Amino acid sequence: MKYPVREGISKAQRSAVHLEMRDSYTPGDPEFARWRAGHRYHGDPAKLPDWWGTWHELVQKTTARGVVMRRARIVSEPVTDYIRYEHDLTFANVAAGELVRWLPRRRAADIPLPGTDLWMFDGESVLFTYFSGVGEVVDREWRTEPEVVQLVSTAFELVWQRATPHEEYKPVY
């Protein structure tokens, strides 16, 4: 299973939720390096790199089937350059059909959270993603035990309730 996230999304019938909790991912990403050098897309998804079109199409097809896709990001403030980069590009997630919210870490301190980022599909299966200290993906793991799914579901809903919609969130630098 080379792309387990895409597989989960393709099979989802009702929902796909994504919880992100790191302040930095894949630091060697060439797109991040371009952004740090001053390149911006200025809200135009047509100018995004080719790989983005594949994701955009998957999200559009998925939401057209009636699957609700929600992404919540817990971030430290002041935000890192990587989070500034993500925030700058999130217009594309929203344009594709994702609902995105941001929650400052300080406001998540009392929420029992899973130990790593994840996707949950239809409230039935969870795909955990494990990272190295610098933010490279090192492994993924599917879990379906009811207690794991319940923990993730409860945590995500609490985060979602407290988080600010992307269109209203202003990162603190």
Side-chain angles (χ1 to χ4, degrees):
M1 174 175 2
K2 190 170 181 178
Y3 300 106
V5 172
R6 291 173 195 236
E7 179 183 318
I9 290 170
S10 295
K11 291 180 179 179
Q13 299 297 308
R14 297 177 309 282
S15 66
V17 301
H18 188 31
L19 181 60
E20 297 178 9
M21 299 182 285
R22 293 185 53 86
D23 288 320
S24 180
Y25 296 89
T26 56
D29 177 7
E31 283 301 313
F32 178 47
R34 287 182 72 209
W35 182 89
R36 288 185 81 176
H39 179 79
R40 300 295 186 271
Y41 293 104
H42 303 291
D44 186 355
K47 293 182 180 179
L48 289 167
D50 290 342
W51 64 263
W52 178 256
T54 305
W55 179 255
H56 186 89
E57 184 178 313
L58 176 63
V59 173
Q60 282 187 318
K61 285 180 178 177
T62 302
T63 57
R65 296 190 277 115
V67 176
V68 177
M69 291 186 68
R70 296 185 292 164
R71 179 184 301 255
R73 293 178 171 143
I74 299 174
V75 297
S76 298
E77 291 182 329
V79 298
T80 62
D81 279 352
Y82 195 89
I83 295 302
R84 289 179 59 210
Y85 161 70
E86 276 194 332
H87 188 266
D88 194 43
L89 291 179
T90 297
F91 74 88
N93 297 78
V94 174
E98 287 186 62
L99 304 171
V100 181
R101 292 188 181 184
W102 301 81
L103 183 64
R105 194 169 309 283
R106 188 175 291 279
R107 296 196 50 225
D110 62 343
I111 297 174
L113 295 166
T116 193
D117 289 17
L118 59 91
W119 279 90
M120 182 173 61
F121 304 100
D122 294 331
E124 297 171 357
S125 61
V126 177
L127 178 63
F128 288 112
T129 303
Y130 301 107
F131 297 90
S132 69
V134 296
E136 302 289 347
V137 174
V138 295
D139 199 10
R140 289 191 168 92
E141 177 185 26
W142 285 101
R143 302 286 296 271
T144 58
E145 303 92 325
E147 61 276 9
V148 172
V149 171
Q150 184 60 49
L151 167 72
V152 168
S153 181
T154 300
F156 185 87
E157 293 306 326
L158 287 169
V159 168
W160 191 256
Q161 289 170 11
R162 292 184 190 182
T164 303
H166 174 70
E167 298 78 9
E168 298 170 24
Y169 178 68
K170 305 295 182 235
V172 175
Y173 301 127

